[in-house]
Amino acid sequence: MPPPKESEKNHVTYMHTVSEAGRLLPSSSRWNSIALDFNLTPKSSASYESIPSQYPKSVDCNLVITDKKHFHIFIFVTLAIFFAIIAVALLVHFLPQKDKHQDSSINLKLAINQALTFYDAQKSGNYPKNSPVKYRGDSGLKDGNQAKTNLIGGYYDSGNNIKFTFTTAYTMTLLSWSAVEYQTKYADIDELDHVKDIIRWGTDYLLKAFIPPNGSNNLRLPEDMSYARPVSVCDGSATDLAAEIVAALSSASMVFNDDKDYSGKLVLAAERLYEVVTREDPKKQGTYTSVDACGKQARTLYNSSSYQDELAWGATWLFLATKKTHYLANATDFFLSAKSDETNLDKEVFYWNNKLNAVAVLLSGIRYFQDPGFPYEDVLKLSSNSTHSLMCSYLFKKYMSRTTGGLIIPKPENGPLLQYAATASFLSKLYSDYIDHLKISGASCETDEFSVAMLRDFARSQVNYILGQNPMKMSYLVGYGDKFPVHVHHRSASIPWDKRTYNCDDGKTWLNSKNPNPQILLGAMVGGPDTNDNFIDQRSNQRFNEPTIASNAGLVAALVALQDLPNNSDGLKNSLWEWT
C-alpha cells in the first residue's frame, strides 16, 4: 500500500462528548484539548499516545525458508521465550506483592484516628466524659462573661489557652471539606462519627457568636485558669473573619445533611452573616487584624494579609451548600479580584492565610461535575489553569524547592513546613481523584505534563515524610511509630495531670524542663523540620515543636484522601459532587 500523505501523518483526532450546556467536555485521550485554551499558560505538546507512527501500518513481503535446521532452532527459541514470559508473569502474579499504592510500613487508618484524637485534646468548655483523652477536663467555663455573652466551647488553638475564631473556622471548613468529599472512606474506617463530632463541637461554638474570643497567654493548664479572659469584638469590617465563618458553616451544613434541622440552622446563619459582610461599604472592608479592637492579639500569630480569598472561599461554599447561582456569580467575581491581587508570597500554598488555591480546585470541580456554562465559563477555565499550575509547582523542582529528604519548601522563611506539605498532599490527591473520576489520565502546564499517578505519588511522598520516612527517621505525628517528638510545646501535655493546681511560675518550670512530657499529645502534628531536614525536639522551640488545629486539619484531610477503599472502589462515591 502507498505511504500516507504528509497531511495524514500529522493529523490527530480527539473525540469529545457534548454537554447539556452545549460545550465540549474533555476526552480521556486528550485533556488539554480544552482545559488549557484560556491562553494563560503555554500549550503543551501532544502526548505520545496521540503521535501517529512514522511507518506504514502494513507492508508487502515474501518469506522464503532456505535452511530447515535454522528454522527449527528459530521456532524452538521463540517458543522457549514465549513460555518463559508466561512463567514469569504467573510467578509475579502469585507471589506476595508489596502494595504499590501504599507503603506497607504506613498505617493510614491508625494515623487518621490519632490525628483526629488531637482535637479531643484541644476542646474547651464542658469536657466530654467519654473523651479518649483522659488528662483533660472542664475549662473556660466563664468565657464570654466579660462581653456578657456565652462563648463557652470551641478549641484551644495550639499549645496555649487561646481560642482564635479565624483559625477555628478555617479548621472546621477544611475538616468538613474532607468529610463531604470522602464520607465513604471515613465510614469505612469507622471514623465518620468521630470527625462529625469534632466538626460539630466547632460549629456549635461558631454559632454562638461572630466574634473571636481570645484568652490571656499565661503558662497554666486550661483547667487552672482563674484570670480574666478578654474578648475582642469585631464588626462587619472584619471581612476575612466573617467570610471564613461563612465557609465553615456552609461546608459543615453538608456534613450534617442527614440532620435537616441542624444543617438548616448552619446554612441560615451562614447566609445571614454573608449578607452582613457583603453589604458592608467596600471602603470599610478589610482584614480582622488591621483593627486593634478586633485582631490586635491575633496579629503576631495569625496576621491576615488579604480578605478577597476568604470572600471567594465563603461564597463558593455557600453556593455548594445552597445551589443558589447568585453565590456562584459572587464567588467567580471574588476569585477574579483575588487573582489580580495575588502576591508571590502565598502563590503556591494553601493554609489559614490563603485559600485561593483551594478555591481554584473547588471551582474546577464545579466546572467538571456541574458544568454551569455561560456566563461562568471563562472564570472556571481560569480556575482549571490555575489548578494545573499549582499541581506542576508541587511536582517539578524547577517550580518549588524541596529538602534533601523530599519535603516541599513553598515558604522557606515563613513558619513550619509541614502545614504546607499536608495541604499540598490533600489538594494533589483530591485533584487526581477529580480527573480520574472523569476518566482523564492527566493534564499539563507550560512545557510539563503530569498524570494521575504522579499526583498520587507526590501526595503519598509528603504524608510518608510526615509519618517517618525522612532523614531524621522520626514521625512528626505524636504517638505514631517508634520515634516521635516527646517535648511538644503544649500546656496540657507538658504539665502533670495530678489534680493539683499549678500557678504561672510552676508552668514556667515545666516549659523549661528537659524531661519528656508527662502526657502524650496523641495525634498532634508538630511544626516539623527546617529546610535542611533537621529537627530539634525542644519544648521552648515553638516553630519546631508546637502543633495547631489548623495544621492538623490539613494532615487529616491528606490522610483520609490517601486511605484506600476496599476493592479500589471510587473514592468520590457519596462525595460533594454527588450531593450537589
Side-chain angles (χ1 to χ4, degrees), residues 161-278:
N161 300 342
I162 307 176
K163 297 190 295 189
F164 291 113
T165 303
F166 190 60
T167 50
T168 296
Y170 164 81
T171 299
M172 296 308 109
T173 308
L174 188 45
L175 290 178
S176 295
W177 189 5
S178 75
V180 294
E181 293 282 16
Y182 297 115
Q183 175 191 240
T184 304
K185 292 187 176 186
Y186 274 115
D188 180 64
I189 59 174
D190 298 321
E191 294 291 351
L192 183 58
D193 289 340
H194 193 181
V195 73
K196 289 175 74 172
D197 170 76
I198 291 167
I199 294 168
R200 187 159 188 159
W201 190 275
T203 51
D204 281 349
Y205 174 76
L206 294 175
L207 284 172
K208 289 181 177 180
F210 299 137
I211 56 175
N214 297 290
S216 178
N217 194 23
N218 290 315
L219 297 171
R220 300 173 70 179
L221 285 170
E223 292 76 10
D224 292 345
M225 293 184 298
S226 58
Y227 45 79
R229 292 186 37 92
V231 174
S232 298
V233 181
C234 304
D235 58 22
S237 64
T239 313
D240 50 356
L241 175 60
E244 188 63 66
I245 296 174
V246 168
L249 299 179
S250 301
S251 57
S253 72
M254 289 183 281
V255 175
F256 299 102
N257 203 38
D258 56 348
D259 185 343
K260 298 301 182 183
D261 290 340
Y262 190 65
S263 179
K265 186 178 181 180
L266 293 172
V267 169
L268 180 60
E271 290 195 282
R272 286 178 175 174
L273 183 56
Y274 182 82
E275 183 180 356
V276 170
V277 69
T278 54

Side-chain angles (χ1 to χ4, degrees), residues 257-389:
N257 203 38
D258 56 348
D259 185 343
K260 298 301 182 183
D261 290 340
Y262 190 65
S263 179
K265 186 178 181 180
L266 293 172
V267 169
L268 180 60
E271 290 195 282
R272 286 178 175 174
L273 183 56
Y274 182 82
E275 183 180 356
V276 170
V277 69
T278 54
R279 194 176 57 215
E280 187 73 37
D281 183 349
K283 294 180 180 179
K284 295 182 180 180
Q285 289 182 336
T287 63
Y288 81 106
T289 50
S290 63
V291 180
D292 286 352
C294 176
K296 182 178 180 179
Q297 291 189 341
R299 192 176 299 150
T300 57
L301 295 175
Y302 296 108
N303 188 43
S304 179
S305 58
S306 175
Y307 62 87
Q308 292 286 352
D309 58 314
E310 278 84 18
L311 281 174
W313 181 237
T316 301
W317 279 113
L318 202 47
F319 164 70
L320 292 169
T322 66
K323 307 179 182 65
K324 296 178 181 178
T325 54
H326 66 278
Y327 292 132
L328 178 59
N330 292 163
T332 52
D333 286 344
F334 292 143
F335 180 73
L336 279 176
S337 296
K339 286 295 291 184
S340 64
D341 292 339
E342 188 177 23
T343 65
N344 289 328
L345 180 64
D346 282 347
K347 196 166 187 178
E348 296 170 330
V349 296
F350 167 39
Y351 71 128
W352 58 264
N353 189 41
N354 182 26
K355 292 88 181 182
L356 194 55
N357 290 312
V359 174
V361 173
L362 279 174
L363 292 179
S364 297
I366 290 171
R367 181 184 184 219
Y368 304 153
F369 299 112
Q370 297 187 351
D371 188 24
F374 182 84
Y376 311 108
E377 184 61 17
D378 285 347
V379 181
L380 296 183
K381 284 182 180 180
L382 172 61
S383 72
S384 298
N385 290 339
S386 297
T387 300
H388 293 166
S389 295

Side-chain angles (χ1 to χ4, degrees), residues 299-577:
R299 192 176 299 150
T300 57
L301 295 175
Y302 296 108
N303 188 43
S304 179
S305 58
S306 175
Y307 62 87
Q308 292 286 352
D309 58 314
E310 278 84 18
L311 281 174
W313 181 237
T316 301
W317 279 113
L318 202 47
F319 164 70
L320 292 169
T322 66
K323 307 179 182 65
K324 296 178 181 178
T325 54
H326 66 278
Y327 292 132
L328 178 59
N330 292 163
T332 52
D333 286 344
F334 292 143
F335 180 73
L336 279 176
S337 296
K339 286 295 291 184
S340 64
D341 292 339
E342 188 177 23
T343 65
N344 289 328
L345 180 64
D346 282 347
K347 196 166 187 178
E348 296 170 330
V349 296
F350 167 39
Y351 71 128
W352 58 264
N353 189 41
N354 182 26
K355 292 88 181 182
L356 194 55
N357 290 312
V359 174
V361 173
L362 279 174
L363 292 179
S364 297
I366 290 171
R367 181 184 184 219
Y368 304 153
F369 299 112
Q370 297 187 351
D371 188 24
F374 182 84
Y376 311 108
E377 184 61 17
D378 285 347
V379 181
L380 296 183
K381 284 182 180 180
L382 172 61
S383 72
S384 298
N385 290 339
S386 297
T387 300
H388 293 166
S389 295
L390 178 68
M391 296 301 122
C392 281
S393 73
Y394 292 156
L395 295 173
F396 301 106
K397 295 180 182 179
K398 64 182 179 181
Y399 300 114
M400 186 181 293
S401 301
R402 298 195 189 195
T403 69
T404 302
L407 187 69
I408 59 169
I409 312 174
K411 291 167 67 70
E413 304 301 327
N414 297 83
L417 294 178
L418 295 188
Q419 60 180 326
Y420 311 127
T423 53
S425 176
F426 170 61
L427 290 185
S428 57
K429 177 55 169 65
L430 178 65
Y431 195 66
S432 79
D433 288 342
Y434 283 5
I435 60 178
D436 187 49
H437 191 76
L438 296 172
K439 308 302 180 185
I440 295 168
S441 60
S444 69
C445 61
E446 297 185 357
T447 59
D448 300 297
E449 296 187 356
F450 60 86
S451 65
V452 168
M454 291 169 66
L455 290 175
R456 293 177 176 177
D457 286 345
F458 166 77
R460 280 190 293 272
S461 73
Q462 300 305 292
V463 162
N464 288 354
Y465 185 105
I466 294 170
L467 296 182
Q469 294 183 6
N470 54 65
M472 297 292 295
K473 306 299 181 184
M474 170 183 282
S475 165
Y476 294 114
L477 184 67
V478 177
Y480 183 91
D482 298 327
K483 183 182 178 184
F484 50 83
V486 296
H487 299 90
V488 182
H489 183 93
H490 192 273
R491 291 167 195 188
S492 288
S494 59
I495 300 176
W497 180 252
D498 53 11
K499 305 302 181 181
R500 291 176 54 192
T501 299
Y502 291 94
N503 59 33
C504 291
D505 288 337
D506 295 329
K508 291 179 181 178
T509 300
W510 286 100
L511 173 65
N512 299 318
S513 171
K514 302 298 182 183
N515 296 324
N517 289 353
Q519 282 81 235
I520 295 177
L521 188 63
L522 190 66
M525 183 180 75
V526 297
D530 61 18
T531 55
N532 295 313
D533 294 306
N534 295 318
F535 178 80
I536 302 174
D537 189 8
Q538 187 178 58
R539 194 177 294 109
S540 59
N541 193 325
Q542 292 177 248
R543 175 169 178 170
F544 282 103
N545 240 20
E546 185 171 26
T548 70
I549 58 173
S551 297
N552 249 63
L555 178 62
V556 169
L559 290 170
V560 75
L562 287 165
Q563 172 68 22
D564 287 333
L565 282 169
N567 304 318
N568 293 319
S569 54
D570 193 338
L572 293 183
K573 181 181 180 182
N574 295 325
S575 74
L576 167 65
W577 308 108

